[in-house]
Amino acid sequence: MKVPLSWLREYVDLPAATAHEVADRLTMAGLKLESITSYGHDVKNVVVGEVLEIEELTGFKKPIRHCKVEVGEATPREIVCGATNFVAGDRVPVVLPGGVLPGGFEVGARKTYGRMSEGMICSERELGLGDDHNGIMVLPAGTPIGTDVVELLGLRDDVIELEITPDIGYALSVRGVAREVATAFGVAFRDPADVEVPAETEPSWPASIGDPTACDRFVLREVRGFDPAAQSPLWMRVRLSRSGMRPVSLAVDITNYLMLELGQPLHAFDRSKLTGEIVVRRAREGERLETLDHVVRELDPDDILITDQSGPISMAGTMGGLETEISDGSTDIVIEAAHFSATGISRESRRHGLVSEASKRFERGVDRELPLVASWRAVRMLAELGGATVQPGVTHAEVDVTPARIAIPAGHPSAVAGVPYSKEVVVGRLEQVGCLVTDGDDPAVRQGGVDPTGVVTGGELAARLAVTGPDMITVTPPSWRPDLTDPNDLAEEVIRLEGYDRLPSVLPSAPAGAGLTEGQRLRRRVGRALAEGGYVEVLSYPFIGADDFDRLQLPADDARRRAMRLANPLSEDEPLMRTTLLPGLLKTLVRNVGRGFGDVALFETGAVYRPRENAPAAAPVLGVSRRPTEEELASIEAALPDQPLRVAVVLAGEFERSGWWGSGRPASWADAVQAARLIAAESRVELSISADQHEPWHPGRCAALYVGDTLVGHAGELHPRVIEAYGLPPRTAAMELELSRLESAMPGPVQAPSVSPYPVATQDVALIVPDFTPVADVEAALRDGAGELLESVRLFDVYAGEQVGEGNKSLAYTMRFRAAGRTLTVEETTAARDAAVAMAADRVGAQLRSA
């Protein structure tokens, strides 16, 4: 909303305050400043002149005129001008040599077209009064010669632009902003809507309200004999331009001017184009309307229309119809002012992608009491400026609306702000806003047991009243503040007018024993461990499409294909909540590779969403007027999916970089398994690994990850068809692990291990096993066979070749033995090693490899 400061001063007795001081006060009151634009402060030496003579110069491609202009000096000025819309005897604005026009443009005396030009005759655009540059600005006859044009036309002004949030629609008008300025400076406010409207009982053009949910007040007034050639006065055109609106014609400019001043949108119909009674109703199936922007619109049954016997003639509160618009020949005009449903206009505007200045105001809520006043002022201005005759009578159709009333404790604003406000301050501030405040608790406000504080219920109310005091007040918000519907709205008005800067800044005290949960600490440890291991964390959108399941090669009966569908997805290509982290990671990997980063190791931690068996199809939609019951909360909980926390990694390219030191090492399935081991180490759990076949991994290079008997994830190389479907680099590896299951399997608090002071005994053992034997099975057999003396076992070599026979492999382990209370003998160590080898031979058919 752009508001010229000069316009504000008409309704507020402002002291000698600058535009920046006014803007600062408005900001303190909660209105957001966008910008301040100054006009005319740099203009000087521009006076009124009278054209005495005009000589047409020939021999040029365009009309050139040499003029003698009287400017109140000893001799007339000679000025060369290219405009042709003025004649001798006209009064025009003239900038003299040494003068300055808006933008710092200096004018001097110079020779041009063979003649001396001592200044310049100005157009409206050159004076910064609008966009009209078609000709010279001709001033009214009789304007005193030599008068300072800056003072005459009010060129010097400042325009304050405010960002108006949806809850303060009243500020989309000079009236609303002026009221805020008057309150901020503590000065008188003159309401432009405070005019006496004649009491008329005769109707104007017949009209009625067909749908009370669409409109509750509809007013028509009529003028005849309007002069279509009448021009909008300069002051009106200047104010419209500086407020961000383009002047069009007198009739349209009057409706726009009053909308800016009062906040009440108006519409003018050509009376000769109306047929029969006007009815405000909803659209009917198949109806169409060509609007003023020459677009034929298919109307929705929820659209609010103004109609006559011919059908729709206007989209109410949004845009008029082309058939009944004011034209260059319109002499009889019907002015419409109404109060439409805010939600109805908002939906209509968005449905058709048609946002107008009128719809911006209606959807935020306008003053229901303005239509009579605004329409009366409109017809009076048409009469005064356009020579029209106001027809007696007014059509006033309305639906009874009970004004809102809110009962609150007088101390409620104090309880909200944490600052003591006396009852006198609370009542005074609410009355400044325009509220009617009465003592006592109106029983009608409590109908249905509604809590008058609006924020607490049951036993909490007594505790709140003990703090706020027992004094109750009943507040009736003014008609121009439809946003005041709740006790907290009223508290906000008191707080903002008293000053947000007066609210204390108090740091909350931390409750004892607070801190990160074990799950939060685990998540941080896992993130740090993977980052230290060379992985980069990414955050993907939790949305996937049905085609992701096909790209992952998931079977038709795979549980991961059951996904929650979003009611309002960001993209129709990804309408589902993810059931696995892999699609987002794989798409991120493809994006990185496509930008030239071929060696990539990524990880992500986040929730997946698994619908529960027999869950409701959708969660119930509850109201906000009260707290949900336990049954309603249970129904919401039943509809929610399980949301376990998972961690996943993907790898491609070189995991260990090559360079001058030698060749690197490509990422493989083993790195994906090792990532799972890193995570398990941070969880302090023992991870068991075994071969598996699980989509989307390669059936021969897939490992299942277990903690005890609980499956916690999978790791390995992705299936070639998955790699092809996503466009991934060859041999891409991935791991996905359920962090929630690891957390539940974590042991209790870490116990410091007892450290034996006795030396360790080391034995190496090499076993030959069939090449399909899982290494994890061999290691488990060694551990079980070695017994309690075994401290650790580590695989340090894998060999396959002629020495171990075809179809076999050799696994070499280092086994460390130690006793807690003595030094082990060679015999004890050898016996434990032999027992371990025997167990491996029994379980997996291992043979001790000879030297």
Side-chain angles (χ1 to χ4, degrees):
M1 177 68 188
K2 296 181 178 180
V3 185
L5 190 59
S6 60
W7 205 347
L8 285 177
R9 291 186 184 277
E10 283 192 15
Y11 305 117
V12 182
D13 294 327
L14 274 178
T18 66
H20 286 85
E21 291 172 335
V22 173
D24 287 344
R25 295 289 185 97
L26 290 174
T27 300
M28 295 298 292
L31 278 71
K32 183 181 178 182
L33 174 68
E34 279 289 301
S35 64
I36 297 176
T37 306
S38 296
Y39 293 91
H41 291 278
D42 53 350
V43 178
K44 65 178 181 179
N45 212 12
V46 183
V47 299
V48 176
E50 180 180 0
V51 181
L52 301 179
E53 299 177 11
I54 299 177
E55 178 187 355
E56 304 286 346
L57 303 183
T58 59
F60 302 101
K61 293 182 179 180
K62 61 180 180 179
I64 300 296
R65 313 171 92 189
H66 181 255
C67 310
K68 286 188 177 181
V69 184
E70 173 63 46
V71 292
E73 298 178 338
T75 58
R77 295 278 185 174
E78 296 184 2
I79 300 175
V80 175
C81 182
T84 60
N85 68 311
F86 62 96
V87 297
D90 281 346
R91 303 288 170 92
V92 294
V94 178
V95 56
L96 301 177
V100 179
L101 291 176
F105 178 70
E106 296 185 12
V107 176
R110 65 189 181 95
K111 191 172 183 179
T112 181
Y113 296 103
R115 300 295 181 92
M116 180 58 69
S117 183
E118 303 173 303
M120 188 173 77
I121 306 175
C122 303
S123 68
E124 288 186 12
R125 191 171 75 177
E126 288 162 343
L127 292 173
L129 294 174
D131 295 328
D132 188 1
H133 195 54
N134 295 325
I136 293 304
M137 178 181 182
V138 179
L139 300 171
T143 305
I145 297 174
T147 303
D148 184 359
V149 170
V150 172
E151 297 297 330
L152 176 69
L153 301 181
L155 294 184
R156 292 192 182 98
D157 203 354
D158 294 295
V159 175
I160 301 172
E161 183 176 3
L162 302 169
E163 180 183 323
I164 307 303
T165 53
D167 61 324
I168 54 172
Y170 68 92
L172 278 172
S173 66
V174 175
R175 180 195 187 205
V177 177
R179 181 181 281 107
E180 291 290 338
V181 171
T183 301
F185 281 90
V187 295
F189 166 65
R190 293 179 295 278
D191 191 348
D194 187 14
V195 297
E196 186 175 349
V197 178
E200 296 177 296
T201 58
E202 293 297 319
S204 179
W205 191 273
S208 63
I209 297 174
D211 188 341
T213 66
C215 174
D216 57 34
R217 177 161 285 177
F218 192 75
V219 174
L220 297 177
R221 295 186 190 270
E222 185 180 340
V223 297
R224 297 185 186 177
F226 174 72
D227 180 8
Q231 295 294 314
S232 300
L234 178 63
W235 59 266
M236 181 179 289
R237 299 201 306 272
V238 170
R239 283 189 171 174
L240 288 173
S241 296
R242 291 183 176 172
S243 298
M245 300 198 74
R246 181 177 61 86
V248 179
S249 64
L250 178 58
V252 175
D253 291 350
I254 287 174
T255 59
N256 287 337
Y257 180 85
L258 291 173
M259 177 181 67
L260 291 172
E261 183 175 74
L262 300 175
Q264 172 65 54
L266 300 165
H267 188 70
F269 294 103
D270 187 330
R271 183 183 184 278
S272 64
K273 300 175 182 178
L274 297 175
T275 56
E277 181 185 23
I278 291 177
V279 179
V280 184
R281 60 171 174 82
R282 303 279 181 174
R284 294 169 184 158
E285 195 69 35
E287 285 189 313
R288 307 169 74 190
L289 174 66
E290 185 175 3
T291 47
L292 292 174
D293 56 357
H294 299 276
V295 176
V296 177
R297 302 184 183 276
E298 301 289 340
L299 301 175
D300 187 272
D302 283 337
D303 288 341
I304 304 173
L305 302 180
I306 299 174
T307 66
D308 64 4
Q309 286 185 356
S310 66
I313 58 175
S314 176
M315 291 178 65
T318 305
M319 184 173 285
L322 189 63
E323 289 297 322
T324 56
E325 74 167 332
I326 300 295
S327 64
D328 293 340
S330 299
T331 58
D332 299 338
I333 298 174
V334 174
I335 293 293
E336 168 256 311
H339 184 261
F340 298 113
S341 162
T343 55
I345 298 301
S346 176
R347 290 169 181 165
E348 175 180 281
S349 172
R350 282 154 179 76
R351 187 181 300 119
H352 293 277
L354 191 60
V355 179
S356 63
E357 291 294 328
S359 69
K360 288 179 185 177
R361 287 161 173 81
F362 276 121
E363 68 185 13
R364 286 167 169 81
V366 299
D367 187 350
R368 187 177 180 273
E369 302 302 323
L370 277 179
L372 285 170
V373 174
S375 61
W376 172 247
R377 285 198 57 193
V379 297
R380 290 300 306 160
M381 293 179 77
L382 289 170
E384 293 168 4
L385 303 176
T389 302
V390 180
Q391 295 301 110
V394 58
T395 299
H396 182 198
E398 67 173 327
V399 177
D400 289 335
V401 175
T402 303
R405 288 178 295 173
I406 309 167
I408 66 170
H412 182 60
S414 300
V416 172
V419 175
Y421 300 125
S422 66
K423 181 178 180 180
E424 291 71 22
V425 168
V426 172
V427 172
R429 289 302 189 183
L430 292 177
E431 288 178 343
Q432 277 184 319
V433 173
C435 297
L436 175 64
V437 184
T438 57
D439 282 329
D441 181 7
D442 190 336
V445 183
R446 285 181 176 251
Q447 285 183 359
V450 177
D451 170 21
T453 67
V455 291
V456 292
T457 57
E460 294 179 86
L461 178 57
R464 175 59 61 90
L465 291 178
V467 177
T468 61
D471 287 342
M472 298 292 294
I473 55 175
T474 298
V475 182
T476 303
S479 57
W480 58 84
R481 293 299 303 272
D483 58 298
L484 301 181
T485 60
D486 183 87
N488 290 325
D489 295 334
L490 302 178
E492 182 183 2
E493 293 301 302
V494 175
I495 295 167
R496 75 177 183 87
L497 294 180
E498 280 295 297
Y500 290 121
D501 58 319
R502 297 175 61 183
L503 296 178
S505 180
V506 180
L507 289 175
S509 57
L516 297 178
T517 65
E518 186 59 36
Q520 291 169 328
R521 286 195 289 268
L522 172 62
R523 183 169 178 175
R524 293 192 179 189
R525 290 199 306 270
V526 167
R528 282 195 296 267
L530 290 174
E532 292 168 357
Y535 293 85
V536 176
E537 184 173 16
V538 298
L539 293 174
S540 307
Y541 283 117
F543 313 125
I544 59 174
D547 58 338
D548 282 308
F549 301 139
D550 297 330
R551 291 191 218 175
L552 293 175
Q553 309 296 314
L554 301 186
D557 59 348
D558 196 298
R560 287 170 289 178
R561 283 187 176 270
R562 293 186 61 245
M564 298 285 292
R565 179 172 290 273
L566 294 166
N568 187 22
L570 292 179
S571 169
E572 289 301 330
D573 293 333
E574 294 181 329
L576 307 175
M577 296 298 289
R578 67 188 178 193
T579 57
T580 169
L581 298 179
L582 290 180
L585 273 173
L586 297 180
K587 293 172 186 175
T588 305
L589 174 61
V590 170
R591 194 176 302 116
N592 279 269
V593 172
R595 283 161 173 75
F597 298 97
D599 304 321
V600 184
L602 307 174
F603 84 94
E604 180 175 8
T605 305
V608 297
Y609 306 88
R610 295 290 187 88
R612 299 170 182 170
E613 293 291 338
N614 304 318
V621 178
L622 307 180
V624 296
S625 60
R626 58 175 176 78
R627 186 184 187 280
T629 64
E630 294 300 326
E631 291 76 12
E632 289 171 334
L633 291 174
S635 65
I636 294 176
E637 182 66 28
L640 294 178
D642 289 326
Q643 301 175 47
L645 188 66
R646 291 196 164 200
V647 59
V649 306
V650 293
L651 309 96
E654 289 187 339
F655 192 70
E656 294 178 3
R657 297 294 181 88
S658 56
W660 60 264
W661 52 84
S663 60
R665 182 177 64 80
S668 70
W669 62 268
D671 295 301
V673 174
Q674 181 59 25
R677 293 184 185 276
L678 287 175
I679 297 169
E682 295 298 329
S683 307
R684 307 193 309 277
V685 297
E686 191 72 29
L687 197 65
S688 299
I689 301 171
S690 62
D692 196 6
Q693 294 187 16
H694 187 72
E695 293 76 9
W697 283 273
H698 190 295
R701 301 187 183 100
C702 174
L705 311 174
Y706 287 88
V707 174
D709 295 330
T710 303
L711 178 67
V712 295
H714 289 84
E717 183 181 310
L718 292 176
H719 197 288
R721 284 198 289 268
V722 175
I723 292 174
E724 181 182 0
Y726 278 100
L728 301 170
R731 310 298 293 268
T732 296
M735 181 276 296
E736 186 173 21
L737 185 149
E738 193 149 308
L739 209 53
S740 298
R741 293 182 182 176
L742 283 189
E743 182 184 350
S744 61
M746 287 174 59
V750 177
Q751 300 295 326
S754 58
V755 179
S756 174
Y758 295 96
V760 66
T762 303
Q763 292 273 0
D764 290 343
V765 61
L767 302 176
I768 299 174
V769 296
D771 57 7
F772 57 81
T773 305
V775 173
D777 292 350
V778 178
E779 182 178 323
L782 291 174
R783 286 183 180 278
D784 293 343
E788 60 181 13
L789 294 179
L790 182 67
E791 183 177 84
S792 68
V793 59
R794 181 177 68 87
L795 176 69
F796 68 87
D797 183 56
V798 178
Y799 170 76
E802 294 181 1
Q803 297 182 22
V804 297
E806 185 178 353
N808 295 325
K809 61 183 176 182
S810 171
L811 304 177
Y813 292 90
T814 294
M815 305 178 69
R816 292 165 56 92
F817 300 91
R818 195 193 313 253
R822 69 185 188 280
T823 299
L824 291 176
T825 64
V826 175
E827 290 77 11
E828 288 177 308
T829 305
T830 303
R833 184 202 65 180
D834 292 344
V837 172
M839 181 65 73
D842 182 56
R843 286 190 182 178
V844 298
Q847 298 177 12
L848 190 64
R849 180 181 174 185
S850 62

